[in-house]
């Protein structure tokens, strides 16, 4: 059942994330044969404007928090982490206890966590905040890679546009594929995206304070196309293999082989974004040696195939 949708607003709401929920559930598309929703924007003090994170824009909710109790869906847009009205938290808890599905967009997951809804549940949020979410709510299982997590009566989504994916998923789950496709078509977005949010994450090279290792890593980054062994890298660093491996893990938090694979994937991403070089040539230049090996490691780290990554992020002109 998905009929009554209540969006609960907190002060300093994020306009895009709020707009996503309004776009999917708030517009009347019944003339096109699409489902209609009883859509209500709610706040602790109806009629009182709430500030947004966009300067000069505020939003005035028409309804109070009492509308959450019998809602089928309670949607929580993003807002600054940790700044929550206790009345909002209590209303969200009561709605969840009464059987409402709670859907969060981006940092809205933190409000759900503050309301006690993430304990012993799988969830996600924007990749910049996943570590903070896991620290603040240690009883939750935070997945940093996915666009959204469906836990039945709790759906959490990653940053910004992933809220669209989560909302359309809920429509598909509750009403059907035709309804989700119809809404997506009106929004001019894909009804379902593949891959997770790993494809959008910048992966900086770990800093290294050790002079010996820094020199070796800088040389290695310039020579990715060549095969390398741990013994060779240890000798270049004037260390025994065991000492090198131990120091490497302490400095970078990973093993030499994993570090090298990550740098090769990063270089391949750069070439896919900025050149039209053939995939086999990219595999050679990044040190993978074959397109099959490049595809294997790229898919594993980025979440989508190299050709799809180029289609999405490559230079078009």
């Amino acid at each position: 059942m998905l009929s009554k949708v209540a969006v609960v607003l907190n002060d300093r709401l994020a306009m895009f994330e709020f707009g996503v929920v309004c776009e999917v559930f708030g517009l009347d598309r019944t003339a096109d044969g699409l489902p209609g929703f009883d859509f209500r924007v709610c706040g602790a003090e109806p009629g009182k404007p709430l500030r947004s994170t966009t300067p000069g824009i505020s939003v005035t909710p028409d309804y109070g928090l009492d509308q959450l109790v019998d809602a089928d869906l309670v949607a929580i847009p993003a807002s600054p982490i940790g700044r929550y009205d206790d009345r909002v938290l209590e209303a969200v808890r009561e709605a969840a206890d009464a059987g409402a599905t709670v859907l969060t967009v981006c940092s809205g997951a933190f409000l759900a966590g503050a309301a006690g809804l993430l304990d012993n549940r799988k969830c996600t949020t924007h990749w910049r905040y996943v570590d903070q979410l896991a620290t603040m709510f240690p009883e939750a299982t935070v997945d940093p890679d996915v666009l959204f997590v469906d836990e039945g009566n709790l759906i959490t989504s990653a940053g910004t546009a992933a809220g669209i994916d989560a909302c359309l998923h809920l429509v598909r789950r509750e009403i059907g594929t035709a309804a989700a496709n119809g809404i997506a078509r009106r929004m001019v977005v894909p009804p379902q995206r593949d891959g997770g949010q790993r494809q959008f994450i910048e992966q900086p090279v770990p800093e290294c304070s050790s002079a010996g290792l820094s020199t070796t890593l800088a040389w290695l980054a310039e020579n990715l196309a060549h095969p390398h062994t741990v013994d060779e890298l240890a000798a270049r660093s004037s260390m025994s293999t065991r000492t090198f491996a131990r120091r490497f893990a302490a400095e970078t938090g990973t093993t030499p082989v994993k570090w090298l694979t990550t740098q090769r994937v990063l270089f391949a991403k750069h070439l896919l974004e900025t050149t039209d070089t053939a995939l086999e040539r990219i595999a050679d230049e990044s040190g993978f040696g074959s397109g099959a090996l490049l595809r294997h490691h790229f898919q594993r780290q980025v979440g989508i195939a190299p050709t799809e990554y180029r289609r999405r992020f490559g230079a078009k002109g």
Side-chain angles (χ1 to χ4, degrees):
M1 183 68 179
L2 183 57
S3 177
K4 182 178 178 180
V5 177
V7 185
V8 59
L9 300 185
N10 202 62
D11 194 33
R12 302 282 295 168
L13 68 136
M15 290 301 299
F16 185 94
E17 286 79 355
F18 172 55
V20 163
V21 180
C22 294
E23 181 73 23
V24 175
F25 300 107
L27 297 187
D28 184 357
R29 299 187 175 99
T30 53
D32 293 338
L34 296 171
F37 303 97
D38 179 1
F39 184 78
R40 306 192 179 192
V41 179
C42 308
E45 299 180 35
K48 179 180 178 180
L50 291 169
R51 296 172 298 171
S52 76
T53 54
T54 304
I57 298 178
S58 61
V59 177
T60 303
D62 286 341
Y63 297 93
L65 298 174
D66 58 305
Q67 296 296 318
L68 273 61
V69 177
D70 62 345
D72 302 307
L73 171 66
V74 173
I76 307 174
S79 62
I81 296 169
R83 302 179 183 178
Y84 308 127
D85 189 318
D86 288 339
R87 295 170 293 180
V88 171
L89 296 179
E90 181 60 28
V92 169
R93 272 192 295 267
E94 290 181 357
D97 289 343
T101 295
V102 174
L103 183 149
T104 70
V105 184
C106 194
S107 63
F110 287 85
L111 192 153
L117 304 186
L118 300 186
D119 289 354
N120 303 310
R121 311 294 293 277
K122 294 179 181 179
C123 59
T124 194
T125 188
H126 192 290
W127 57 264
R128 293 186 65 181
Y129 308 132
V130 289
D131 290 341
Q132 187 175 356
L133 186 69
T135 298
M136 290 179 64
F137 306 105
E139 298 301 315
T141 300
V142 181
D143 189 334
D145 296 332
V146 295
L147 294 173
F148 61 85
V149 174
D150 182 348
E151 278 276 280
N153 60 354
L154 174 69
I155 298 177
T156 52
S157 63
T160 313
I164 299 174
D165 300 292
C167 289
L168 291 176
H169 166 77
L170 180 60
V171 172
R172 186 181 305 110
R173 189 188 81 179
E174 296 297 317
I175 303 176
T177 299
N181 289 350
I183 294 173
R185 191 173 295 113
R186 281 287 303 269
M187 294 175 64
V188 199
V189 297
Q192 188 169 351
R193 291 191 293 170
D194 59 339
Q197 57 176 331
R198 278 178 292 173
Q199 60 192 286
F200 304 104
I201 300 174
E202 295 264 3
Q203 294 177 293
V205 177
E207 293 185 5
C208 182
S209 60
S210 169
L213 282 182
S214 294
T215 301
T216 299
L217 296 190
W219 174 85
L220 191 54
E222 295 295 324
N223 293 273
L224 294 174
H226 306 294
H228 301 286
T229 66
V230 176
D231 288 342
E232 167 209 336
L233 298 176
R236 175 171 285 275
S237 304
S238 302
M239 301 178 193
S240 70
T241 300
R242 289 183 63 183
T243 299
F244 176 79
R246 185 173 62 252
R247 290 273 297 278
F248 196 101
E251 288 284 344
T252 68
T254 188
T255 67
V257 172
K258 289 181 179 179
W259 187 93
L260 181 58
T261 299
T262 297
Q263 304 319 303
R264 285 172 167 162
V265 169
L266 287 173
F267 186 60
K269 287 176 68 176
H270 170 72
L271 293 178
L272 290 167
E273 290 174 10
T274 60
T275 75
D276 58 0
T277 304
L279 195 63
E280 290 293 333
R281 178 69 179 274
I282 290 177
D284 286 337
E285 292 185 11
S286 58
F288 286 112
S290 71
L293 201 56
L294 167 60
R295 285 187 287 271
H296 169 76
H297 289 291
F298 199 95
Q299 180 83 42
R300 189 171 184 177
Q301 288 203 18
V302 184
I304 56 175
T307 51
E308 179 63 15
Y309 185 86
R310 169 174 270 167
R311 188 184 70 80
R312 296 184 185 184
F313 299 104
K316 300 298 191 295

